[in-house]
Amino acid sequence: YSQIEKFKNRKAGALSGGMKQKLALCCSLIHQPSILFLDEPTTGVDPVSRKEFWEILAQLKERDITIVASTPYLDEVRSCERVAFLSEGTIKGIGTPNEILTEFKDIFNPPSIVREEAHKIEIEAENVIEVEHLVKAFGSFHAVDDISFTVKKGEIFGFLGANGAGKTTAMHMLTGLNQPTSGTGRVVGFDIRTEYEQIKKHIGYMSQKFSLYEDMTVRENIRLFGGIYGMRDQAIRRKTDELLDKLDIAQYADRLVASLPLGFKQKLAFSVSIFHSPEVVFLDEPTGGVDGTTRRQFWQLIYQAAAKGITIFVTTHYMDEAEYCDRISIMVDGKIRALGTPDELKSRFEKETLGEVFT
């Protein structure tokens, strides 16, 4: 396809997430199959790339290729001709997207989570992240190109952008994993250029790709990360029991993490990332591949953490999750192109949803 032709001489590992998925699709079509099976092909891919991917799938109809795809994204469900809804190993219904989404609306669209007004951020609240003219260059390429912003204590700050926009590079600088080329930044009062080891002691971190050791039990993971974060043994033991009760997973305490459902893993991983009560927790696409109901339960945990004064810095490709943030920024080609509350951005760009603003 023309979308990837210009990258034909680039190694596959150097492609963005969206381009990798398009390449994988091309490879699966090389022998001209009559049926194509796609298992959540766009999980972890930004909304723009997902839209382009499904436009390619629509073109395949002209070649009489049958496509069977699984997906956690409701906008992709609406792009299908027929849908089968599976739950607990059985098919609950088959029909058009509208029929299925209507019949099972209580499952697909559970009541929105509500953040108590008492826990909303005060406008003169203190900054816990301050970034001014931050740049990260790799030779002549600027992955992060002169960005500036602040994040307040207890705020839920959404950091959005397409794959390759510079989000991960910026997050690595803020968490002390990488140092900037130029510009300044402070996280919980520490300089990201010179005090990154101190920063690591005051933050939590969770990513979609790695958050827990799957060959260890639930209890062992909690104990390990508590120790890594510098907690005392007595505090670890006490808080472990409290956490197991809070998540209602005490019965799984001695089971290997690998045996847990994905939703359980994600909620446990988040709880472990804030086990030591950090001032800021960085969440890098924490709910990729998780169903809508579990994602909303996950965000309820986020709201509870923010209510305790923990600042949430989160990247996500789910636009409904972006709506849950107090403010969001949108990065494009290393620069922040838009910054504000969800309502402000929808009003500024005259769009009804953040998905339309993003794309």
Side-chain angles (χ1 to χ4, degrees):
Y1 290 98
S2 58
Q3 292 185 19
I4 65 171
E5 184 177 3
K6 60 183 178 180
F7 301 107
K8 62 183 180 182
N9 294 321
R10 184 178 298 184
K11 291 185 177 180
L15 297 175
S16 68
M19 294 306 297
K20 287 179 181 177
Q21 298 301 76
K22 293 170 188 173
L23 174 59
L25 177 61
C26 289
C27 291
S28 68
L29 294 170
I30 196 68
H31 62 303
Q32 299 181 339
S34 57
I35 184 168
L36 180 65
F37 291 91
L38 303 174
D39 187 9
E40 298 189 10
T42 58
T43 294
V45 177
D46 65 84
V48 175
S49 296
R50 289 199 294 108
K51 181 179 178 182
E52 293 174 348
F53 187 92
W54 277 80
E55 288 173 351
I56 294 175
L57 295 185
Q59 296 172 13
L60 296 180
K61 290 175 56 179
E62 302 174 3
R63 297 170 55 180
D64 294 327
I65 297 178
T66 300
I67 300 173
V68 180
S70 63
T71 178
Y73 296 96
L74 295 188
D75 58 331
E76 294 184 352
V77 169
R78 296 186 177 95
S79 296
C80 298
E81 294 177 304
R82 284 203 308 148
V83 177
F85 171 52
L86 282 77
S87 178
E88 299 179 347
T90 61
I91 293 179
K92 301 298 185 180
I94 298 178
T96 66
N98 186 59
E99 289 170 346
I100 295 299
L101 293 176
T102 299
E103 181 178 357
F104 300 98
K105 62 182 179 180
D106 291 340
I107 296 176
F108 289 115
N109 300 296
S112 298
I113 56 177
V114 178
R115 191 174 184 188
E116 297 180 21
E117 288 299 321
H119 296 148
K120 289 288 187 179
I121 306 303
E122 296 180 5
I123 298 301
E124 301 311 323
E126 64 181 288
N127 292 330
V128 293
I129 298 177
E130 297 175 325
V131 172
E132 293 186 4
H133 305 294
L134 199 63
V135 173
K136 181 62 178 180
F138 298 93
S140 61
F141 172 65
H142 286 193
V144 174
D145 191 7
D146 193 13
I147 64 173
S148 300
F149 64 90
T150 61
V151 181
K152 301 180 185 303
K153 181 179 180 179
E155 185 175 24
I156 301 176
F157 187 79
F159 204 54
L160 310 185
N163 292 96
K167 305 187 307 299
T168 300
T169 301
M171 185 178 286
H172 283 176
M173 289 188 283
L174 295 177
T175 55
L177 296 176
N178 211 332
Q179 281 67 61
T181 302
S182 63
T184 62
R186 301 187 74 83
V187 176
V188 294
F190 297 103
D191 190 317
I192 64 173
R193 184 186 296 275
T194 60
E195 299 175 301
Y196 42 85
E197 292 301 329
Q198 289 297 320
I199 289 174
K200 293 176 184 177
K201 298 177 182 178
H202 291 80
I203 65 172
Y205 180 80
M206 174 189 171
S207 73
Q208 174 191 353
K209 296 180 180 178
F210 174 78
S211 297
L212 298 169
Y213 289 93
E214 299 213 340
D215 58 349
M216 297 173 63
T217 67
V218 170
R219 190 185 302 276
E220 287 170 342
N221 266 275
I222 297 173
R223 185 183 304 125
L224 172 64
F225 282 98
I228 291 174
Y229 288 130
M231 298 176 63
R232 296 179 180 274
D233 289 343
Q234 184 177 359
I236 291 175
R237 287 194 295 270
R238 174 178 56 81
K239 293 194 69 173
T240 295
D241 292 336
E242 292 176 358
L243 177 57
L244 292 172
D245 289 339
K246 176 183 177 181
L247 297 180
D248 194 24
I249 59 172
Q251 66 271 34
Y252 302 116
D254 297 312
R255 285 179 53 177
L256 293 179
V257 166
S259 68
L260 299 179
L262 179 58
F264 274 52
K265 291 180 186 177
Q266 299 298 74
K267 288 184 282 189
L268 175 62
F270 173 71
S271 298
V272 168
S273 73
I274 62 171
F275 192 61
H276 57 306
S277 301
E279 285 101 319
V280 183
V281 61
F282 291 87
L283 308 177
D284 192 5
E285 297 180 29
T287 58
V290 179
D291 65 87
T293 299
T294 302
R295 287 196 291 112
R296 284 168 175 78
Q297 293 173 350
F298 184 93
W299 273 81
Q300 194 64 63
L301 294 177
I302 289 179
Y303 274 12
Q304 292 170 6
K308 296 177 181 178
I310 297 177
T311 300
I312 312 294
F313 189 100
V314 58
T315 70
T316 179
H317 286 149
Y318 292 96
M319 292 299 99
D320 59 327
E321 293 186 350
E323 296 274 3
Y324 300 153
C325 298
D326 295 304
R327 286 189 304 141
I328 59 176
S329 71
I330 298 178
M331 283 192 73
V332 179
D333 296 330
K335 295 182 178 292
I336 293 180
R337 300 294 188 183
L339 177 64
T341 68
D343 288 341
E344 287 172 350
L345 294 184
K346 286 184 288 187
S347 176
R348 185 184 312 166
F349 292 96
E350 299 181 344
K351 302 293 184 181
E352 293 185 1
T353 68
L354 282 178
E356 294 172 326
V357 172
F358 193 94
T359 57

